[in-house]
Amino acid sequence: MNITIERAALLRSLGHVQSVVERRNTIPILSNVLLRAGDGELSLAATDMDLEIVETVPATVGRPGGTTAPAHTLFDIVRKLPDGSQVELDIGGDGTILTLRAGRSQFKLSCLPVEDFPQLSSGELKHNFSVAAADLRGLIDRTRFAISTEETRYYLNGIYLHAAKSKMGSLETPVLRAVATDGHRLARVEMPLPDGAEGIPGVIIPRKTVTEIRKLVDEAADRIELSLSDNKIRFGFDSVVVTSKLIDGTFPDYERVIPVGNDKVMEVDAKLFAAAVDRVATISTEKSRAVKLSLVRGALTLSATSPESGSATEELEVNYAESPLEIGFNSRYLLDITQQIEGEGAQFTLADAASPTIIRDVADSTALYVLMPMRV
């Protein structure tokens, strides 16, 4: 194999694929990136056996062929080369050494055989549809903060993507819905159901896949093609294809957690509220991060106390006309949710100090958040 490629193009693609590669690997081949050259392009692939990213970039191919080279080392070398350099990759006789040349620099890297590189066999992915990059970004950004990191409840370690019906009065609209929860808070976001997504199975997309897709979506063109089956999902856009296994488990019936009888409504400026929570929470203990909300007609008092630091209070004007109520929340969770609210107003629908609260963006009905209170 012999190719010449511009540094910027190689660096961009290596950056995409190498982030899948784990820093510590017991299987040496999984530390490598698969390079294949032919037909005027270079294909790069990396996998951790659960997730695979393949990307193709234009290159001047002197001699077609393939190899696998250490992903992080290759990425670091290319990153440190001067801007605008042309990079030559060459595999000689027995194929065990990759020579990289750029300007006056030359590197020799040990390679492993292409045959050893695992392929993530995708089988048939019979459900195919496409979504706008901005819509996928919105689904991910507004739910991923609620993904559980508790490995014992592995079925909560991802975003649950499924087709559902959204009820608005007597109308039912088909939607594509993303849900994530860690037992303390829940995020549910929806968008109109794309053509072709009608019969999709409910799937749980793992956290690592969500993170990688989110990084790539920023650079994606307008639309992203999704294909999925019961156990795999594939995202394709521009010259990138990401294939991932899905979490094999049953996502809980999240509708049961969303309260229907909450009758006390408070509306507050989301930005002012988030800033005030952040200030008051400076005092709360690192472990509990508790902040108390004391509501009376037209006013909200935020307070926090800690045996070590002292106390803090801040008052805000709010729209609230119900009976007085005191309720405590984890300030970090409150901030995670209010940061997703893009409009000016946040609406809290409450019941009492021990029941879950619903939080919405006044200007956007597609997102709903549920937050469990805590004792303060």
Side-chain angles (χ1 to χ4, degrees), residues 277-326:
V277 168
D278 198 20
R279 280 191 290 273
V280 170
T282 315
I283 289 291
S284 65
T285 56
E286 192 56 42
K287 189 162 171 280
S288 75
R289 297 190 170 139
V291 167
K292 183 159 80 173
L293 281 65
S294 306
L295 276 162
V296 293
R297 194 179 288 266
L300 163 69
T301 304
L302 293 164
S303 59
T305 55
S306 115
E308 301 88 43
S309 312
S311 64
T313 60
E314 182 160 343
E315 274 192 28
L316 288 171
E317 276 183 31
V318 295
N319 281 345
Y320 182 75
E322 314 296 333
S323 54
L325 172 69
E326 289 195 344

Side-chain angles (χ1 to χ4, degrees), residues 155-160 162 179-181 186 204 249-254:
Y155 49 85
L156 297 181
N157 294 162
I159 290 178
Y160 180 50
H162 60 297
V179 181
T181 181
L186 177 143
I204 308 171
T250 307
F251 200 80
D253 178 5
Y254 62 88

Side-chain angles (χ1 to χ4, degrees), residues 101-116:
R101 297 184 194 91
R104 295 181 178 185
S105 309
Q106 178 171 311
F107 300 86
K108 290 187 182 296
L109 301 174
S110 332
C111 301
L112 289 169
V114 170
E115 301 72 53
D116 293 356

